[in-house]
Amino acid sequence: MTATTASPQSHRHPDAAAPTSAHQPFRWTEGAEHVFVDAAFLETTLDICAGINTCLEIVYASNLERLSNEDADDDQTVPPALGIVETDHLMRLSIAASALLRDDARRRVAQA
């Protein structure tokens, strides 16, 4: 595969207006796949799933560190990445984000 230099316009959606700056938003899909009817949904799904995954990894690591600290000597404890309240916030965000994604998918299935 050879590297090519593409202009910002080559990565634009065919219906998009002319760019007002060199920066273009990140897209998971390009070319023919980009005009696929559900491309935006797939991109949103990838972004939300990546965010949920990151949140849950941090929640898991923080909870695991708290459990490890219960068995450790006082001088051997390590503070978790997040406190209990922040961990709860990330868990609730993950639940809400996955519910929104599920509801959007259900709506799309019902419309198909």
Side-chain angles (χ1 to χ4, degrees), residues 61-73 76-78:
S62 295
N63 288 338
L64 190 61
E65 198 62 59
R66 270 189 279 288
L67 286 172
S68 294
N69 285 339
E70 288 178 8
D71 294 333
D73 295 332
Q76 298 295 318
T77 61
V78 176

Side-chain angles (χ1 to χ4, degrees), residues 37-54:
V37 140
D38 287 326
F41 176 70
L42 293 175
E43 289 179 334
T44 299
T45 299
L46 287 168
D47 287 337
I48 290 173
C49 289
I52 290 170
N53 183 267
T54 301

